[in-house]
């Protein structure tokens, strides 16, 4: 009997607490982090896949055959225009120059003798002591001697040019890559590329734009006054610090892709961009309309669509359906559903529902 009386007492106590909840300890309202919706200027953006290419690129090759001399650079060095980076043994080519000089001297001596013979024969013919045929012969010999001198001069010039090719110079300033051939090897015109020099500052980034995108850009140009800039998004998702400018639109359309190649130029002082690198090109206006933005963490989605929790008067929670625009960088653009300054819940949504009272605390600002 005592156990039945105890059970009945417990039931009566629970009934009293349910009828009079003030007798029980009130639960504290759940704490949430909120952040006010902001009105800020968001520029229009478009992203394209592009490829970085050096503005100038030169493959250095041997133009004469010979044994490669000491390398005059280190892989990756900055080189200046007309700087000697490779040498080929000079001795055979210097000997060829000396030989051509000797041939030229002999031809000049023969020409001098032909000039004297012609003068003597012409004087004798004027006095009637030499036949006209002999004068014609001396004239022809002088012409042949002149031609021999010209040929010797050309051969000497060719030998000097061949000698100059023993110094392999870079025709542009830039950064030189890895040497493909070690000193002491026999090289020649058929050896291939000895090294490559690229000019990486500034760097050009090429990307393709469809005809529809071009028309959209031209139709919106009056509102933006043509003030657009280019940015580069790197492989880790970060934006390259240097801003670029668009300076070229190809004159032809690729019939297979219906796209035109566009070029954007970027300063590249730290060599962050490398030729052949795949990047994403971000084209944006320099100014834009002001829109309502909230953190992306405030947005939830169910079967009906996106919604947010807004903390209103008396710290009561209200569920709002929202229409979102194109956001970026962790921000969602709210086209309809939230007004500027209204606090939206960014953390703790799983513990609340519409209509309850919460304890809001202002969320700390994001890093940076």
């Amino acid at each position: 009997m005592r156990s039945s009386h105890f059970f009945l007492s417990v039931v009566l106590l629970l009934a009293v607490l349910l009828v009079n909840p003030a007798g029980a300890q009130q639960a504290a309202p759940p704490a949430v982090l909120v952040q006010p919706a902001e009105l800020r200027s968001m520029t229009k953006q478009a992203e394209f896949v592009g490829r970085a290419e050096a503005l100038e690129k030169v493959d250095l090759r041997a133009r004469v055959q010979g044994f490669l001399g000491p390398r005059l650079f280190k892989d990756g060095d900055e080189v200046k225009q007309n700087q000697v980076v490779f040498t080929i043994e000079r001795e055979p080519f210097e000997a060829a120059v000396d030989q051509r000089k000797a041939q030229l001297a002999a031809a000049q001596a023969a020409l001098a003798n032909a000039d004297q013979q012609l003068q003597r024969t012409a004087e004798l013919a004027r006095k009637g002591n030499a036949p006209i045929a002999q004068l014609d012969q001396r004239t022809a010999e002088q012409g042949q001697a002149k031609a021999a001198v010209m040929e010797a001069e050309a051969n000497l010039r060719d030998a000097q040019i061949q000698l100059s090719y023993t110094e392999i110079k870079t025709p542009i300033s830039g950064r030189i890559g890895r040497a493909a051939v070690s000193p002491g090897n026999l090289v020649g015109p058929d050896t291939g590329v000895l090294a490559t020099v690229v000019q990486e500052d500034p760097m050009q980034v090429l990307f393709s734009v469809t005809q529809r995108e071009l028309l959209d850009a031209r139709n919106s140009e009056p509102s933006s006054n043509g003030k657009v800039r280019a940015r580069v998004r790197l492989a880790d998702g970060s934006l390259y610090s240097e801003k670029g400018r668009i300076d070229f639109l190809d004159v032809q359309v690729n019939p297979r892709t219906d796209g035109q190649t566009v070029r954007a130029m970027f300063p590249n002082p730290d060599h962050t961009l490398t030729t052949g690198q795949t990047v994403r090109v971000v084209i944006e206006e320099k100014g834009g309309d002001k829109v309502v933005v909230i953190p992306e963490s405030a947005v939830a989605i169910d079967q009906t669509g996106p919604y947010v929790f807004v903390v209103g008067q008396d710290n009561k929670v209200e569920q709002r359906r929202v229409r979102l625009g194109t956001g970026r960088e962790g921000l969602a653009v709210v086209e309809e559903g939230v007004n500027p300054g209204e606090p939206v819940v960014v953390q703790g949504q799983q513990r609340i529902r519409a209509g309850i009272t919460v304890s809001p605390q202002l969320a700390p600002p994001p890093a940076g």
Side-chain angles (χ1 to χ4, degrees):
M1 291 293 293
R2 289 181 180 179
S3 60
S4 61
H5 285 298
F6 177 76
F7 178 75
L8 181 60
S9 299
V10 171
V11 171
L12 291 175
L13 178 61
L14 290 176
V16 170
L17 290 176
L18 290 174
V19 173
N20 184 20
Q25 183 178 3
Q26 292 288 341
V32 294
L33 294 181
V34 299
Q35 187 168 328
E38 296 183 42
L39 189 64
R40 74 167 57 175
S41 177
M42 294 283 282
T43 59
K44 296 180 180 179
Q45 286 188 343
E47 288 198 16
F48 306 90
V49 177
R51 187 173 298 278
E53 290 188 9
L55 189 61
E56 293 186 358
K57 176 182 175 183
V58 176
D59 292 331
L60 302 178
R61 302 173 184 265
R63 303 178 72 174
V64 293
Q65 185 169 323
F67 289 97
L68 195 64
R71 190 183 308 161
L72 305 179
F73 67 94
K74 294 180 180 179
D75 296 346
D77 274 357
E78 293 286 339
V79 294
K80 300 296 183 181
Q81 186 178 9
N82 293 326
Q83 178 178 334
V84 179
V85 292
F86 290 103
T87 59
I88 297 175
E89 59 173 346
R90 296 175 57 90
E91 289 78 6
F93 298 94
E94 291 174 342
V97 170
D98 293 338
Q99 182 182 11
R100 298 303 185 187
K101 287 181 179 180
Q103 293 174 353
L104 176 59
Q108 290 172 338
L111 175 59
N113 180 63
D115 289 339
Q116 292 177 356
Q117 294 296 328
L118 178 58
Q119 291 177 2
R120 291 172 184 172
T121 303
E123 185 177 354
L124 292 174
R126 188 169 54 253
K127 296 178 179 179
N129 297 325
I132 299 301
Q134 187 177 1
L135 177 61
D136 294 341
Q137 178 66 27
R138 294 291 183 265
T139 302
E141 290 174 355
Q142 184 203 39
Q144 291 175 353
K146 286 182 178 180
V149 169
M150 295 173 62
E151 181 180 6
E153 290 175 342
N155 290 336
L156 174 60
R157 178 60 182 155
D158 179 68
Q160 291 172 336
I161 292 173
Q162 299 298 313
L163 176 61
S164 69
Y165 289 161
T166 60
E167 292 184 338
I168 301 176
K169 303 178 181 180
T170 169
I172 62 172
S173 298
R175 194 154 62 103
I176 192 168
R178 183 178 60 87
V181 182
S182 301
N185 284 284
L186 183 66
V187 296
D190 298 331
T191 301
V193 178
L194 302 181
T196 300
V197 179
V198 294
Q199 180 184 343
E200 295 183 326
D201 187 19
M203 178 71 76
Q204 61 178 348
V205 177
L206 304 177
F207 58 98
S208 180
V209 178
T210 65
Q211 294 302 294
R212 181 172 181 177
E213 290 166 334
L214 280 176
L215 290 175
D216 291 341
R218 286 168 179 162
N219 292 334
S220 64
E221 185 175 354
S223 61
S224 63
N225 294 322
K227 295 180 180 179
V228 296
R229 63 184 177 187
R231 303 291 300 274
V232 162
R233 194 179 301 281
L234 302 175
D236 61 355
S238 63
L239 284 174
Y240 180 46
S241 59
E242 300 288 346
K243 300 176 179 63
R245 58 182 177 85
I246 297 175
D247 69 342
F248 173 74
L249 175 65
D250 200 358
V251 296
Q252 300 183 69
V253 177
N254 188 331
R256 292 179 297 178
T257 63
D258 194 37
Q260 283 180 262
T261 299
V262 181
R263 181 177 69 188
M265 299 297 299
F266 291 87
N268 192 32
D270 298 329
H271 305 295
T272 303
L273 301 178
T274 305
T275 183
Q277 179 181 1
T278 300
V279 296
R280 294 194 68 86
V281 184
V282 181
I283 305 300
E284 62 183 13
E285 295 179 9
K286 293 183 180 179
D289 298 332
K290 289 188 175 182
V291 293
V292 178
V293 296
I294 60 175
E296 289 182 346
S297 58
V299 180
I301 300 177
D302 59 13
Q303 294 180 349
T304 307
Y307 66 90
V308 298
F309 287 117
V310 178
V311 178
Q313 292 183 351
D314 301 327
N315 293 335
K316 287 192 175 182
V317 175
E318 178 185 353
Q319 186 183 36
R320 298 268 190 91
R321 293 290 171 180
V322 293
R323 183 161 58 91
L324 301 178
T326 302
R328 63 177 183 275
E329 300 175 2
L331 296 176
V333 175
V334 180
E335 297 179 348
E336 184 179 333
V338 177
N339 298 319
E342 289 187 312
V344 295
V345 179
V346 297
Q347 186 174 330
Q349 296 96 320
Q350 67 277 8
R351 300 193 300 269
I352 62 176
R353 63 182 184 276
I356 72 170
T357 301
V358 295
S359 175
Q361 296 180 5
L362 190 63

